[in-house]
């Protein structure tokens, strides 16, 4: 029998954006409040997993045409690059820098390179979790 | 002012806790899956909503911290909890869980039967 998933799919379309925005909030809040790259990445994975549950694997792969193994690579490169970048400024490996900037719309904001490292962690978590799920979930 | 705020907070939290207790009594005492899902998805949503609203009012009125995350949580629960109940009872029905003896009318049974018949016909044609 063809399953009738209208309710689940319609809710998913709304709820996906709530979870995704909240994961981005958690990711950016990581420096001053609980959260960070790992939890943000897991929440994003949860949002994408909801899409996978409501629609099938092929639809989601068509909507998000990423190879998630490459996403892991980009994340590792970002983290390693942030850590290695400090060498060029004659400071030890992994030294982070931060400063206060006045951005349009945001006002005075503290920007720091730890955020780029966190972005790397985020990408690695999303990439590895989704690679596992897609590998196990797909028909081999 | 603080007294008024505290009365509001205590009232909403008490409503929430009472509804949560009613939920657990309902899950224990109701006869079958569907009535239990009814109790669990409806009144626990309202119960958690009351508790979260109480927490929200406490942090807003007493601590001066307007927490948008709690409001988002309330919205999220309101959307997802009934869907969870719906999907669970639907899965139970489709896997053949019988409703209680007291049931007098089952409209879904005819629809499911028809759908199964039409599927059998199409699969025969394909063969």
């Amino acid at each position: 029998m063809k399953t009738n998933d209208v309710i689940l799919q319609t809710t998913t379309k709304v709820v996906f954006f709530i979870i995704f925005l909240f994961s981005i909030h958690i990711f950016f809040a990581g420096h001053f409040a609980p959260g960070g790259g790992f939890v943000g990445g897991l929440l994003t994975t949860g949002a994408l997993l909801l899409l996978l549950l409501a629609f099938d694997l092929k639809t989601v792969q068509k909507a998000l045409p990423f190879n998630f193994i490459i996403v892991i690579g980009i994340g590792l490169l970002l983290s390693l690059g942030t850590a290695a970048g400090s060498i060029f400024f004659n400071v030890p490996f992994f030294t982070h820098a931060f400063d206060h900037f006045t951005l349009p719309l945001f006002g005075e904001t503290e920007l720091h390179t730890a955020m780029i490292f966190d972005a790397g962690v985020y990408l690695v978590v999303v990439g590895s979790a989704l690679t596992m799920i897609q590998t196990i979930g797909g028909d081999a | 002012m603080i007294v008024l705020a505290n009365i509001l907070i205590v009232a909403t939290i008490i409503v929430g806790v009472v509804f949560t207790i009613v939920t657990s009594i309902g899950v224990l005492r109701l006869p079958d899956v569907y009535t239990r899902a009814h109790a669990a998805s409806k009144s626990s949503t309202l119960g958690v909503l009351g508790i979260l609203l109480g927490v929200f009012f406490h942090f807003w009125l007493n601590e001066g911290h307007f927490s948008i995350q709690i409001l988002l949580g309330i919205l999220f629960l309101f959307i997802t909890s009934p869907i969870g109940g719906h999907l669970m009872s639907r899965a139970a029905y489709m896997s053949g869980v019988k409703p209680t003896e007291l049931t007098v009318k089952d409209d879904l049974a005819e629809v499911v039967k028809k759908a199964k018949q039409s599927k059998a016909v199409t699969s025969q044609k394909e063969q």
Side-chain angles (χ1 to χ4, degrees), chain B residues 31-35 93 96-103 105-106:
Chain B
D32 69 341
V33 171
Y34 308 106
T35 44
Y93 193 91
V97 177
K98 288 271 173 289
T100 167
E101 305 279 309
L102 302 166
T103 312
K105 198 161 163 57
D106 189 357

Side-chain angles (χ1 to χ4, degrees), chain A residues 104-115:
Chain A
L105 244 73
F106 289 101
E108 193 181 326
T109 317
E110 190 185 333
L111 296 178
H112 40 84
T113 54
M115 184 50 84

Side-chain angles (χ1 to χ4, degrees), chain A residues 66-133:
Chain A
F66 305 127
N67 184 354
F68 283 101
I69 298 176
I70 294 176
V71 173
I72 302 178
I74 295 171
L76 284 174
L77 268 182
L78 264 184
S79 298
L80 196 65
T82 335
S86 59
I87 295 176
F88 298 109
F89 299 99
N90 255 343
V91 282
F93 190 65
F94 251 116
T95 308
H96 284 294
F98 70 95
D99 207 348
H100 294 267
F101 296 96
T102 312
L103 299 177
L105 244 73
F106 289 101
E108 193 181 326
T109 317
E110 190 185 333
L111 296 178
H112 40 84
T113 54
M115 184 50 84
I116 308 173
F117 182 79
D118 236 16
V121 174
Y122 176 91
L123 287 180
V124 170
V125 170
V126 172
S128 50
L130 275 171
T131 309
M132 283 180 229
I133 290 163

Side-chain angles (χ1 to χ4, degrees), chain B residues 87-118:
Chain B
L87 284 174
M88 271 191 285
S89 3
R90 187 186 153 85
Y93 193 91
M94 292 303 170
S95 51
V97 177
K98 288 271 173 289
T100 167
E101 305 279 309
L102 302 166
T103 312
V104 288
K105 198 161 163 57
D106 189 357
D107 284 337
L108 190 55
E110 297 163 22
V111 181
V112 172
K113 209 175 163 188
K114 245 182 227 168
K116 273 185 182 161
Q117 274 174 356
S118 68

Side-chain angles (χ1 to χ4, degrees), chain A residues 7-94:
Chain A
I7 295 179
L8 178 62
Q9 289 182 350
T10 316
T11 332
T12 301
K13 282 173 196 163
V14 179
V15 165
F16 170 76
F17 289 105
I18 298 180
I19 307 178
F20 191 64
L21 284 179
F22 188 64
S23 80
I24 290 177
H25 165 75
I26 285 273
F27 168 66
F28 279 112
H31 203 64
F32 297 109
F38 188 75
V39 192
L42 281 184
L43 262 172
T44 309
T45 315
L48 294 174
L49 190 58
L50 186 65
L51 278 186
L52 282 171
L53 281 176
F55 304 92
D56 55 349
L57 206 61
K58 269 183 191 157
T59 319
V60 176
Q61 272 171 350
K62 206 183 274 176
L64 297 166
F66 305 127
N67 184 354
F68 283 101
I69 298 176
I70 294 176
V71 173
I72 302 178
I74 295 171
L76 284 174
L77 268 182
L78 264 184
S79 298
L80 196 65
T82 335
S86 59
I87 295 176
F88 298 109
F89 299 99
N90 255 343
V91 282
F93 190 65
F94 251 116

Side-chain angles (χ1 to χ4, degrees), chain A residues 1 3-5 7-8 11 14-15 18-19 22 25, chain B residues 69 72 75-76 79-80 83 86-87 90 94 115 119:
Chain A
M1 197 170 95
T3 47
N4 181 5
D5 290 343
I7 295 179
L8 178 62
T11 332
V14 179
V15 165
I18 298 180
I19 307 178
F22 188 64
H25 165 75
Chain B
Q69 294 173 7
L72 194 68
L75 178 76
F76 187 79
I79 297 175
T80 53
I83 305 297
H86 158 76
L87 284 174
R90 187 186 153 85
M94 292 303 170
K119 196 208 167 189

Side-chain angles (χ1 to χ4, degrees), chain B residues 21-43:
Chain B
I21 294 171
V22 167
T23 305
S24 46
I25 294 174
V27 170
L28 282 175
R29 285 191 52 95
L30 286 172
D32 69 341
V33 171
Y34 308 106
T35 44
R36 282 178 183 168
H38 164 81
S41 62
K42 260 187 183 167
S43 58

